[in-house]
Amino acid sequence: MQACNAFWAWLSEIQNAQWLEWFKVLVDFGKSLAWPVALLTIIYTFRKEIRELIPNIDEAGPGGIKVSKQQAVLAPPAAALQVGGHPLETVNALAEVLREELNNIVPEQHTLILIRALAEARVIANFESIFANIFKSQVDALADLEDEQMSLEEFRGWFNEHILPRNKEVFSEMGFENWVEYLLRNSLVVIDDNVATMTQKGIDFLDFARRHKDGFVLVN
């Protein structure tokens, strides 16, 4: 009986030793996997940045990776740009003059100057189009709204008192709504909560008309 118990105790010791060895093997195996898993995680996380760096890699080896500085793509110099191409030769001639003028200005300011000039040209073109179709009575309305805003009813009453008598046949048929619609459509006036207010565009347009259209005769 004692011999049997000794045998089972010896077998148990062998099994415990085997499990301990297997556990050590598993731990060592886990350690060996730790850095590849970490590396793969880093590569996956920064895959976009790594992909962008690949074209700039000069050397790769045991000593590490050497990456060259990315070269910026430079735009061609102003002198190399072709100015012509517009169907109006007057525009091409002016473009050439502007290019020469830009040569006397530091390049850092070119973009700001060109954007401002383009914005001004578009605004002036829009104001010219508005002025070509506006009534004198609508310009007068802008002048009155410049001093103070009016309620919608006050604005309607102002139309009936000051505008309707000028040409009853035309303005009676047109009516206040159609008359004021031109000011609203061109964003010169807004009506909000039944209050008519002149917009900043309306203020600028009125200033444009006073400075550049003084003496022009408008109808109605």
Side-chain angles (χ1 to χ4, degrees), residues 4 18 26 36 39 51 63 93 111 114 121 126 130 134 154 162 176 184-185 187 209:
C4 183
Q18 289 178 340
L26 289 175
L39 179 61
R51 189 182 303 116
T111 301
L114 291 174
N126 181 237
I130 293 173
I134 201 169
E154 289 174 338
H162 296 90
F176 171 76
L184 299 174
R185 176 159 43 88
S187 302

Side-chain angles (χ1 to χ4, degrees), residues 188-209:
L188 304 177
V189 173
V190 294
I191 297 178
D192 188 23
D193 291 335
N194 291 322
V195 175
T197 306
M198 192 175 182
T199 64
Q200 183 61 52
K201 182 180 179 180
I203 295 172
D204 292 342
F205 172 78
L206 190 60
D207 179 68
F208 161 81

Side-chain angles (χ1 to χ4, degrees), residues 146-203:
E146 184 181 26
D147 297 330
E148 60 178 348
Q149 61 186 18
M150 303 183 197
S151 68
L152 186 57
E153 289 305 314
E154 289 174 338
F155 201 17
R156 191 188 305 274
W158 183 92
F159 170 83
N160 293 331
E161 181 181 353
H162 296 90
I163 306 306
L164 194 58
R166 296 185 185 184
N167 193 329
K168 288 187 177 181
E169 182 179 355
V170 171
F171 289 122
S172 295
E173 182 179 354
M174 179 180 296
F176 171 76
E177 284 74 14
N178 291 326
W179 175 85
V180 78
E181 192 271 340
Y182 186 78
L183 300 176
L184 299 174
R185 176 159 43 88
N186 286 285
S187 302
L188 304 177
V189 173
V190 294
I191 297 178
D192 188 23
D193 291 335
N194 291 322
V195 175
T197 306
M198 192 175 182
T199 64
Q200 183 61 52
K201 182 180 179 180
I203 295 172

Side-chain angles (χ1 to χ4, degrees), residues 73-83 99 102-103 107 110:
V73 178
L74 300 178
L81 296 178
Q82 298 298 321
V83 177
R99 187 177 68 82
L102 282 176
N103 289 336
H110 286 186

